[in-house]
């Protein structure tokens, strides 16, 4: 990771923002080629899990795992939306110069380039069997982004973004083979988008469920429910590869919308709640079931005590669209991402998914080490980009240059200085750019706008802009922002205009480089798309 030396770096220590509670285990982490299971939830909000403060239902399996793990209290995704966050995790490079910058470009849904050196390729080279089950979202079967071309020995699930919107899919993919589910033809996904987008004329979705909270819109005895399929395939992968070190990326699409769930579970009697809130909460409970099944399978196969388990989300709060329109903006004109009034699952942050603000990137994140039986709490800022060097360390990989993260194992062992205090984390989406460095959070909504500076640990809602009071730190942050953003040919770069982007789209069409979009359940266009 490149570093910048602040003339006023000592301010970091004066403010005292580097509190750290190291692992309290009797032995430090000392492992050799453990199995690795990475559970990446899709759009999970910060307080969706009861261990993180959810009060309306319990997630006992996630909670139990969290209470025998290192819990990172200041953890970030790599980006405020799924594709660049996943691309950065796999490549170890931040979005300013990584292979995937946004969910889509002027060409469409970009795929991982052929020459990308992924952590899966690294693990293959060191003898790991590698598999990804669930949502891939970084390429299709006939391009360079195919998971089998990016270091994975096995793939089952969705390949592209939009396809992963369906919990009752018509087709999934297993090692490039299309697996069809004709039993799901009765699933009309279009109305679900209307419900999630708050259409006042939406149909009565209560009729989708019976009085016991069971889904009746689909015949669950016959239909193929994606979370069930993923659990089965993940268990098969563990069983098949238990004699070798393995890496399983369990990339569930839970609880990403549009919302629909097999069973309301603990929320079946909560008729005081909006249906979307109950569905979302029940989908998180279904995620909890998957976590329990994974842990049980690891124990059943006798490999639990030699497996690292990581739990995280791919981006921050996403349950509701931001409030838009005249009179509905605050915080210097930023759209308001309102917390769900029933679940209150957003967390104490400003912004949400698709923004460069804290709410778009702060995530639940914890790591369970082999034989760990007590919890620890680590307050050092970390992000998903740190997983590449961490995996390199535990797999005894050769040294890898050019990564933008740090190995988390020394930090988990109590070495507070293993990650430099001036290390930074860079984020961007379209015109927005942000940097987290030590106690500071810098944000710029557009290259033509002034940079804002906040002491994020004491001002999570970013109410007090300190840029004018700390001009040297502001200047240093601006230097990082301008240095770390490498222009990309097809993406919207910070400062681009709609006309510039339209010219890129035109070029993509004229040169035959448009990338086909694959939509869920045979719908022709997504609700927000036009011909």
């Amino acid at each position: 990771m490149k570093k910048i030396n602040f003339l006023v770096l000592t301010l970091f220590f004066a403010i005292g923002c580097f509190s750290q509670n190291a692992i309290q285990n009797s032995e430090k982490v000392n492992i050799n080629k453990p199995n690795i299971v990475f559970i990446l939830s899709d759009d999970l909000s910060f307080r969706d899990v009861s261990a993180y403060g959810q009060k309306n239902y319990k997630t006992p399996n996630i909670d139990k795992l969290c209470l025998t793990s290192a819990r990172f209290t200041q953890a970030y995704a790599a980006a405020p939306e799924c594709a660049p966050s996943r691309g950065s995790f796999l490549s170890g490079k931040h979005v300013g110069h990584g292979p995937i910058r946004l969910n889509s470009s002027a060409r469409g849904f970009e795929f991982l380039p052929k020459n990308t050196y992924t952590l899966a390729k690294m693990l293959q080279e060191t003898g790991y069997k590698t598999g990804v089950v669930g949502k891939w979202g970084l390429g299709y079967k006939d391009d360079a982004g195919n998971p089998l071309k990016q270091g994975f020995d096995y793939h089952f699930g969705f390949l592209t973004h939009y396809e992963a919107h369906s919990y009752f899919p018509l087709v999934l993919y297993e090692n490039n083979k299309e697996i069809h589910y004709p039993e799901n033809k009765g699933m009309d996904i279009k109305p679900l988008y209307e419900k999630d987008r708050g259409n006042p004329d939406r149909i009565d979705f209560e009729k989708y469920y019976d009085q016991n909270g069971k889904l009746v819109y689909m015949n669950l005895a016959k239909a193929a429910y994606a979370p069930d399929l993923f659990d089965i395939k993940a268990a098969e992968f563990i069983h098949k590869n238990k004699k070798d070190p393995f890496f399983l990326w369990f990339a569930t699409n839970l609880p990403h919308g549009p919302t629909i769930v097999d069973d309301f579970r603990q929320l079946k009697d909560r008729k005081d709640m909006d249906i979307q809130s109950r569905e979302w909460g029940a989908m998180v409970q279904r995620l909890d079931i998957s976590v329990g099944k994974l842990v049980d399978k690891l124990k059943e196969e006798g490999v639990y005590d030699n497996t690292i388990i990581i739990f995280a989300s791919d981006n921050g709060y996403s349950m509701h669209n931001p409030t838009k329109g005249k009179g509905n903006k605050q915080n210097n004109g930023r759209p308001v991402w309102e917390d769900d009034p029933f679940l209150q699952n957003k967390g104490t942050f400003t912004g949400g998914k698709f923004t460069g603000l804290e709410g778009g990137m702060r995530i639940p994140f914890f790591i369970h080490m082999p034989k760990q039986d007590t919890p620890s709490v680590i307050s050092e800022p970390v992000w998903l980009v740190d997983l590449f060097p961490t995996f390199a360390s535990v797999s005894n990989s050769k040294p890898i240059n050019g990564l933008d993260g740090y190995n988390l194992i020394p930090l988990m062992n109590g070495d507070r200085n293993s990650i430099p205090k001036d290390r930074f984390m860079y984020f961007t989406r379209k015109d927005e750019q942000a940097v987290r460095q030590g106690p500071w959070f810098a944000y710029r909504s557009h290259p033509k706008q002034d940079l804002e500076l906040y002491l994020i640990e004491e001002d999570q809602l970013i109410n007090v802009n300190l840029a004018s009071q700390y001009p040297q730190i502001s200047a240093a942050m601006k230097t990082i922002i301008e240095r770390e953003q490498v222009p990309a040919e097809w993406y919207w770069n910070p400062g681009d205009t709609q006309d510039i982007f339209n010219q890129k789209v035109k070029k993509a069409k004229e040169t035959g480089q448009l990338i086909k979009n694959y939509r869920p359940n045979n719908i022709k266009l997504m609700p927000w798309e036009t011909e």
Side-chain angles (χ1 to χ4, degrees):
M1 166 71 87
K2 298 177 182 176
K3 296 183 289 184
I4 186 167
N5 294 319
F6 283 178
L7 296 175
V8 288
L9 185 59
T10 53
L11 281 172
F12 287 3
F13 301 95
I15 295 167
C17 291
F18 288 98
S19 61
Q20 166 81 42
N21 293 319
I23 281 182
Q24 299 299 313
N25 290 3
S26 58
E27 295 183 3
K28 292 184 177 181
V29 177
N30 183 18
I31 49 179
N32 182 32
K33 285 194 174 182
N35 305 312
I36 303 170
V37 174
F38 179 35
I39 303 168
L40 185 67
S41 54
D42 197 359
D43 279 9
L44 188 77
S45 300
F46 193 81
R47 298 203 190 285
D48 272 329
V49 176
S50 51
Y52 281 78
Q54 179 53 235
K55 302 297 185 182
N56 292 281
Y57 54 84
K58 298 293 184 182
T59 50
N61 297 305
I62 296 173
D63 292 2
K64 183 177 180 181
L65 189 62
C66 184
L67 290 175
T68 56
S69 299
R71 173 173 173 163
F72 297 86
T73 63
Q74 297 192 75
Y76 291 78
E81 56 186 349
C82 65
S85 192
R86 292 160 193 259
S88 290
F89 147 69
L90 282 171
S91 68
K93 298 180 182 297
H94 67 60
V95 287
H97 58 202
I100 305 293
R101 307 296 182 86
L102 294 162
N103 268 359
S104 62
S105 76
R107 302 197 304 177
F109 287 151
E110 293 285 344
F111 49 82
L112 282 176
K114 181 179 179 180
N115 61 352
T116 305
Y117 185 67
T118 68
L119 59 82
K121 292 178 180 177
M122 171 196 70
L123 292 172
Q124 277 185 330
E125 292 173 355
T126 58
Y128 276 73
K129 300 297 183 181
T130 58
V132 53
V133 172
K135 173 182 172 179
W136 173 244
L138 295 168
Y140 194 58
K141 63 180 181 179
D142 54 2
D143 60 41
N146 185 308
L148 301 183
K149 297 178 181 178
Q150 294 293 344
F152 288 94
D153 300 307
Y154 176 76
H155 165 259
F156 176 84
F158 302 103
L159 282 170
T160 62
H161 297 288
Y162 286 163
E163 290 176 298
H165 285 203
S166 177
Y167 289 93
F168 294 92
L170 295 181
V171 62
L172 292 174
Y173 306 88
E174 187 169 33
N175 290 348
N176 292 338
K177 181 182 178 181
E178 293 187 7
I179 311 296
H180 293 269
Y181 299 95
E183 59 269 39
N184 287 347
K185 285 185 178 180
M187 179 70 246
D188 183 4
I189 197 172
K190 284 184 179 180
L192 304 184
Y193 290 105
E194 295 301 311
K195 168 171 57 69
D196 284 10
R197 291 161 73 88
N199 189 326
D201 297 323
R202 64 191 185 185
I203 64 175
D204 183 5
F205 285 91
E206 295 285 353
K207 295 178 181 177
Y208 276 41
Y209 304 91
D210 66 17
Q211 60 182 1
N212 295 315
K214 304 287 187 180
L215 184 69
V216 293
Y217 181 76
M218 297 292 289
N219 184 340
L220 292 173
K222 296 180 179 179
Y225 184 46
D228 292 342
L229 299 173
F230 297 159
D231 290 347
I232 292 169
K233 294 299 183 179
E236 289 177 356
F237 178 85
I238 292 171
H239 174 74
K240 181 179 179 180
N241 296 286
K242 63 182 179 181
K243 294 183 179 179
D244 298 296
F246 63 79
F247 166 51
L248 171 62
W249 179 13
F250 187 76
T252 176
N253 57 334
L254 288 165
H256 193 296
T259 54
I260 188 169
V261 71
D262 60 332
D263 187 344
F264 278 135
R265 298 184 175 82
Q266 298 169 43
L267 299 177
K268 67 182 180 67
D269 297 323
R270 290 295 304 273
K271 297 298 178 67
D272 58 306
M273 282 188 177
D274 179 79
I275 186 171
Q276 186 187 2
S277 302
R278 278 181 285 148
E279 286 175 325
W280 186 276
M283 290 162 72
V284 177
Q285 294 172 58
R286 181 60 187 79
L287 166 64
D288 184 70
I289 290 173
S290 288
V291 172
K293 288 182 177 180
L294 280 170
V295 171
D296 288 346
K297 186 61 177 177
L298 292 169
K299 291 179 178 179
E300 175 189 323
E301 299 291 352
V303 295
Y304 176 76
D305 287 334
N306 190 41
T307 300
I308 296 175
I309 306 173
I310 304 98
F311 180 89
S313 180
D314 61 349
N315 49 250
Y317 180 73
S318 70
M319 187 174 169
H320 295 291
N321 292 318
T323 302
K324 299 179 180 179
K326 186 177 180 180
N328 288 327
K329 291 189 177 183
Q330 62 185 26
N331 298 333
N332 297 322
R334 302 185 184 104
V336 179
W337 285 81
E338 295 178 345
D339 199 359
D340 184 74
F342 302 101
L343 298 180
Q344 296 182 319
N345 53 341
K346 178 179 176 179
T348 55
F349 312 111
T350 296
K353 184 178 179 179
F354 304 128
T355 75
L357 298 164
E358 283 267 293
M361 297 170 297
R362 288 290 289 268
I363 58 172
F365 178 52
F366 58 81
I367 299 178
H368 171 83
M369 300 303 293
K371 298 183 180 180
Q372 183 176 353
D373 56 9
T374 57
S376 65
V377 177
I378 299 175
S379 59
E380 191 82 10
V382 300
W383 59 342
L384 293 184
V385 182
D386 291 325
L387 290 179
F388 196 129
T390 302
F391 292 179
S393 172
V394 299
S395 64
N396 294 325
S397 174
K398 62 183 179 182
I400 301 167
N401 298 321
L403 299 180
D404 290 323
Y406 283 88
N407 176 14
L408 296 177
I409 300 300
L411 181 63
M412 295 169 66
N413 278 333
D415 183 356
R416 296 174 55 184
N417 297 314
S418 61
I419 297 179
K421 302 306 182 185
D422 62 345
R423 85 93 150 235
F424 63 85
M425 296 179 284
Y426 174 76
F427 310 94
T428 182
R429 185 182 186 274
K430 298 188 73 173
D431 292 325
E432 295 180 90
Q433 296 169 280
V435 175
R436 174 70 197 262
Q437 187 174 46
W440 300 102
F441 180 77
Y443 172 79
R444 188 169 73 177
S445 61
H446 190 281
K448 293 183 179 180
Q449 298 297 315
D450 292 335
L451 181 134
E452 303 168 26
L453 184 69
Y454 303 94
L455 276 171
I456 199 65
E457 293 179 4
E458 62 186 51
D459 183 18
Q460 289 184 331
L461 293 178
I462 58 172
N463 290 322
V464 184
N465 181 3
L466 300 173
S468 62
Q469 298 181 41
Y470 296 92
Q472 289 177 300
I473 292 180
S474 296
M477 291 292 203
K478 185 177 180 181
T479 297
I480 294 174
I481 282 177
E482 295 181 346
R483 181 189 67 210
E484 294 301 312
Q485 184 66 38
V486 178
E489 179 181 9
W490 297 110
Y491 287 101
W492 184 300
N493 296 303
D496 278 357
T497 63
Q498 189 62 53
D499 183 62
I500 291 174
F501 188 74
N502 289 343
Q503 289 299 315
K504 295 180 180 182
V505 175
K506 180 181 178 182
K507 180 182 177 182
K509 291 180 179 178
E510 292 175 346
T511 56
Q513 297 192 60
L514 289 179
I515 301 170
K516 181 180 178 181
N517 280 341
Y518 295 84
R519 298 170 182 83
N521 291 46
N522 290 335
I523 66 174
K524 293 183 178 180
L525 291 174
M526 306 300 278
W528 50 87
E529 291 183 314
T530 58
E531 291 287 357

